[in-house]
Amino acid sequence: MITARNMVKKFGHFIANDHLTFQVRKGEIFGFLGANGAGKTTAMRILCGLSAPTSGEISVAGYNVYRQKEKIKRSIGYMSQKFSLYEDLTVRENFRFYGGIYGLPRKRIRERTAYLLEKLNFSHAIDKKIAQIPLGWKQKLAFSIAIIHSPRIVFLDEPTSGVDPITRRQFWEMIYETASREVTVFVTTHYMDEAEYCNRVSIMDQGRIEALDTPARLKEKYQAANMNQVFVQIAR
Amino acid sequence: MKTIRFLLQKEFIQILRNRTMLPLIILMPFIQLIILVNAATFDMKNIDIYVVDQDLSSTSRGLVDKFEASPFYHLEGRSFNVEDGREDLLTNEAEMILNIPEGFERDLRRKNQASLQLLINAINGNAAGLIQAYSNHIISGYNQHIAVEWTQGVAAQKQQPLEVVYSYWYNPEMNYKIYMVPGILVILVTIISLFLTAMNIVREKEMGTIEQINVTPIKKYQFIIGKLLPFLIIALFELAFGLLLGRLIFDVPIVGSLWVLFGVTVVYLLVILGFGLFLSEISDSQQQVMFVTFFFMLVFILMSGIFTPTESMPDWANKVNVINPIAYLMRIIRMILLKGSGFADIWQEFYSLLIYAFLSLGLAVWRYRKTA
C-alpha cells in the first residue's frame, strides 16, 4: 500500500529524512518509532501529501505523491499530533463537517456517525461540544473522524500521547479492529510497549531508518527482552 | 457546491456560537454610528469667545451683540484687559479673543476706518480657519450695517455692484453628520470583514484543524469560497443595518440606487476579504495577524478621506490612495447616497475596485497551500 524508495526531505541544510526505503502491506499495522526529532512526523506528512519531498520515489495507495496528491487524499485518513476537532462544535457537527468535505452524501454521513459512535459506545454524547469532553475521548473521536470516509490507509501521528493507560488500550483495540477490515494502519509512537502490538516496526534515528522488522525478530537480533531495550541500543 | 455548503454551515455555527463575536457584530453599528458620528463632527457650535472691549462705545457694543446673537458663539467672559483673555485661551476656556481697542468708534467716524483684533487658538488649524471665517462674516455684515446706518439714505441707493448668493448643493443645511454617516459605514464594513477573515485561518492554524482540512481532497477554490462567503454576508448585513440606523437616527438621505451601492460594496468586500485571507495565510498567530491588520487599517482609513477630503491632500498622498480600496468606496458611497450618482458616474472607481478584487483574491488563492 505504501512504497518509499530513497525518500529524502531537507529543510535547508538539515536533513530530516535521509534516504528512507520501506514498504507497507495491505492490512498491516506498521509502527514508525523513533525519538523526538528523529523525522517520523516529517515522513508521515510527506506520505499524506501535506509536505513535498525533496527527492525519492514514493507511492501511497498506488498513487504518486508528486502528481496524484488529491487522489491519495481520497484514500487516506490522517489523525495529526495536534488536536484536530473543533472545540466549539458538537460531536455530531464535527462528524458532519469532515464527512461533508470528504464529499460524503448526508445520508452516508449520518450512517457512519451513528455506526462509529455506536462502536465507541459514545452515542449518548452526540450533541455535546468537544470542549466539554475529556482528552481520552477526544482522541478516540478524532480517530473515528479520520476513518469516517472509510479510507484504505490511516495515518496516526502519536495518537496515544497524553492519555491514560486504559484509554490507550481501548485505542489499540480500535486500531486492531480497523486493521481487521483490511485497512492499513501507519502509526508513530514513543511508547515501546505499543511497538509490540504492531505487525512490523521501523526504528528511526537522526533521519535514518536503523532497523525494520517484526518486533519478535528485532528482539532476537538485538538479543533484547523487550522493544524498549532494542530501542535503547539503536538510539544510543 | 455541496462541499462549500458544509463549510458555510460550519462557519456560521461557529460565528453564532461565539459569545464575544456575535454581540459585537450587532452592537458595532450602533456604537460606531451614534458615538462616532456625533463625536467626529466638525460642526461649529458654541465657540467660546472672550471679549475685551476697551472702547465701550455704542458701535463696539453693537458688534459684541452681533456675536452674542449668533448661534455659533458663546460669550465666555469679558474684561478690559487682554491678559485676562489670554489666560482663558491657555486654559482652553476660550477659543477666541475679540479685542476692540480704545478709540474704535472715533476712528471709524473720523478716518472712516478702524481696526480690531481677533486672537484665535489655532492648534486645530481646521477649526481656527472656520472660526475666522465665521467671525469675518459677522464683522463684515456689521460693517455694512453701520455704513448704511451712518450714511442714511445715500447708501440705500448705493448698492454693491457684485453680490454673491450661496446655494449649497447635496447637503443644503451643511449638516456634517450626513457627510460622516456614509464614511462610518465604510469603516464599519471594513473592520468587520477584514478582522473576521484575517483571524479566521490563523485560528484554524493555531488549533491544528487546518492540517485536518488540508489532508482532505477539498479544492482550493471551495475552501476560499467557504471562508469568504460567510463574512461577505455578515458585512452586507452590517451595511444594511447601518444604513437603516443612519436613516432613522440621522435622517441620512438615500438619493441614489441601493442596488448600485450594494453591488459596488460586494466588489469592495471581495478586495478586503481576499486581503484578509492573504494576511491570515502568511501569519502564524492571531497576535501577529492582528498587528499587521491594524497597521494597514489605520493607514488606509486615515488616508481614505473620511475626515479630510482627499482633494486637499498632497499630490503624493493621492497617488498612494490609488491603491487604497477604502478611499474608493468612501468616494462612491457619498456620491450614491448624497448626490444620487448612478453607475455611469462611478464606473471608473468600480472597475478599479474590480481589478483589485481579482488581484487580492488571486493572491489569497495563490498563497493558500495545502502542501507546505
Side-chain angles (χ1 to χ4, degrees), chain A residues 45 48-52 69-70 73-74 78 80 82-86 88-90 93 96-98 100-106 109 129, chain B residues 2-3 5-7 9-10 13-15 17 19 203-219 227 370-372:
Chain A
R45 286 171 54 88
C48 291
L50 286 173
S51 168
K69 272 204 284 274
E70 297 310 303
K73 286 176 181 176
R74 281 188 194 287
Y78 170 66
S80 72
K82 238 177 151 186
F83 187 64
S84 57
L85 302 177
Y86 291 94
D88 47 354
L89 298 186
T90 64
E93 287 160 352
R96 184 175 61 201
F97 173 67
Y98 282 115
I101 59 173
Y102 271 111
L104 303 185
R106 284 192 187 261
I109 295 173
K129 280 193 202 136
Chain B
K2 245 182 54 207
T3 310
R5 263 213 309 271
F6 281 105
L7 262 165
Q9 186 180 31
K10 172 217 147 215
I13 292 175
Q14 286 189 305
I15 294 163
R17 218 167 259 175
R19 294 234 168 116
R203 211 168 98 90
E204 298 235 11
K205 272 190 204 169
E206 281 186 350
M207 305 217 313
T209 45
I210 194 91
E211 288 265 275
Q212 203 66 38
I213 290 179
N214 285 345
V215 85
T216 69
I218 190 168
K219 301 261 189 324
K227 289 286 178 198
K370 292 176 75 178
T371 307

Side-chain angles (χ1 to χ4, degrees), chain A:
Chain A
M1 286 307 270
I2 304 173
T3 311
R5 201 169 302 137
N6 291 321
M7 178 165 114
V8 176
K9 176 73 182 182
K10 287 184 192 164
F11 295 107
H13 288 293
F14 176 70
I15 301 173
N17 286 168
D18 190 359
H19 295 88
L20 305 188
T21 300
F22 58 89
Q23 279 195 324
V24 181
R25 289 188 284 267
K26 192 174 181 181
E28 188 173 31
I29 301 175
F30 189 82
F32 217 54
L33 276 53
N36 291 328
K40 298 174 305 224
T41 299
T42 306
M44 185 176 259
R45 286 171 54 88
I46 291 172
L47 297 175
C48 291
L50 286 173
S51 168
T54 308
S55 66
E57 287 168 46
I58 306 142
S59 79
V60 176
Y63 300 116
N64 186 297
V65 293
Y66 298 97
R67 290 186 304 274
Q68 296 167 302
K69 272 204 284 274
E70 297 310 303
K71 281 189 173 151
I72 291 177
K73 286 176 181 176
R74 281 188 194 287
S75 324
I76 63 165
Y78 170 66
M79 175 180 166
S80 72
Q81 201 172 3
K82 238 177 151 186
F83 187 64
S84 57
L85 302 177
Y86 291 94
E87 296 268 341
D88 47 354
L89 298 186
T90 64
V91 174
R92 185 203 304 272
E93 287 160 352
N94 269 288
F95 273 93
R96 184 175 61 201
F97 173 67
Y98 282 115
I101 59 173
Y102 271 111
L104 303 185
R106 284 192 187 261
K107 185 161 169 275
R108 176 100 179 115
I109 295 173
R110 277 196 299 273
E111 283 166 9
R112 285 292 287 170
T113 306
Y115 169 76
L116 291 165
L117 285 178
E118 180 76 26
K119 272 207 313 190
L120 277 182
N121 219 345
F122 206 58
S123 306
H124 58 279
I126 187 163
D127 286 319
K128 260 200 178 161
K129 280 193 202 136
I130 298 295
Q132 304 159 344
I133 293 173
L135 181 70
W137 276 108
K138 286 185 194 169
Q139 297 291 82
K140 287 190 270 187
L141 285 170
F143 179 73
S144 297
I145 282 181
I147 58 172
I148 189 170
H149 56 298
S150 320
R152 288 193 278 158
I153 307 172
V154 56
F155 290 90
L156 309 171
D157 196 1
E158 295 183 12
T160 54
S161 65
V163 303
D164 62 75
I166 298 168
T167 309
R168 264 173 63 194
R169 227 199 133 72
Q170 289 169 337
F171 206 95
W172 275 91
E173 280 165 13
M174 284 173 77
I175 292 178
Y176 265 96
E177 204 273 331
T178 307
S180 73
R181 279 176 292 108
E182 303 257 280
V183 176
T184 307
V185 179
F186 188 102
V187 54
T188 70
T189 180
H190 323 281
Y191 296 113
M192 288 308 135
D193 58 323
E194 289 184 353
E196 310 265 3
Y197 303 147
C198 298
N199 299 128
R200 284 192 308 149
V201 296
S202 87
I203 299 180
M204 276 186 83
D205 186 42
Q206 289 174 22
R208 272 193 288 271
I209 292 182
E210 297 292 353
L212 197 171
D213 215 328
T214 63
R217 262 186 281 181
L218 283 177
K219 281 185 276 190
E220 196 181 296
K221 184 176 168 194
Y222 289 92
Q223 298 183 341
N226 53 38
M227 285 303 291
N228 211 7
Q229 289 175 2
V230 174
F231 184 77
V232 170
Q233 280 189 48
I234 290 171
R236 196 168 42 201

Side-chain angles (χ1 to χ4, degrees), chain B residues 116-243:
Chain B
L116 45 79
Q117 186 184 35
L118 294 180
L119 296 163
I120 304 173
N121 168 14
I123 287 181
N124 180 345
N126 251 325
L130 280 173
I131 295 175
Q132 193 220 352
Y134 288 166
S135 305
N136 272 342
H137 194 72
I138 290 181
I139 293 167
S140 68
Y142 187 64
N143 199 6
Q144 236 180 316
H145 169 79
I146 50 177
V148 171
E149 207 168 72
W150 290 0
T151 51
Q152 295 299 341
V154 188
Q157 280 122 33
K158 204 173 81 188
Q159 277 191 348
Q160 293 206 322
L162 279 179
E163 194 184 357
V164 181
V165 178
Y166 295 95
S167 146
Y168 299 101
W169 279 22
Y170 308 126
N171 189 357
E173 289 155 28
M174 301 229 278
N175 182 347
Y176 197 74
K177 285 169 191 155
I178 283 176
Y179 176 74
M180 279 312 283
V181 169
I184 298 291
L185 289 178
V186 173
I187 303 302
L188 177 72
V189 295
T190 309
I191 290 181
I192 288 276
S193 53
L194 188 59
F195 275 94
L196 288 184
T197 41
M199 300 290 277
N200 190 286
I201 293 183
V202 165
R203 211 168 98 90
E204 298 235 11
K205 272 190 204 169
E206 281 186 350
M207 305 217 313
T209 45
I210 194 91
E211 288 265 275
Q212 203 66 38
I213 290 179
N214 285 345
V215 85
T216 69
I218 190 168
K219 301 261 189 324
K220 265 184 169 196
Y221 80 89
Q222 294 172 326
F223 180 79
I224 298 286
I225 293 175
K227 289 286 178 198
L228 285 185
L229 261 185
F231 304 113
L232 183 72
I233 293 168
I234 290 174
L236 288 177
F237 165 79
E238 292 284 89
L239 178 62
F241 189 42
L243 269 176

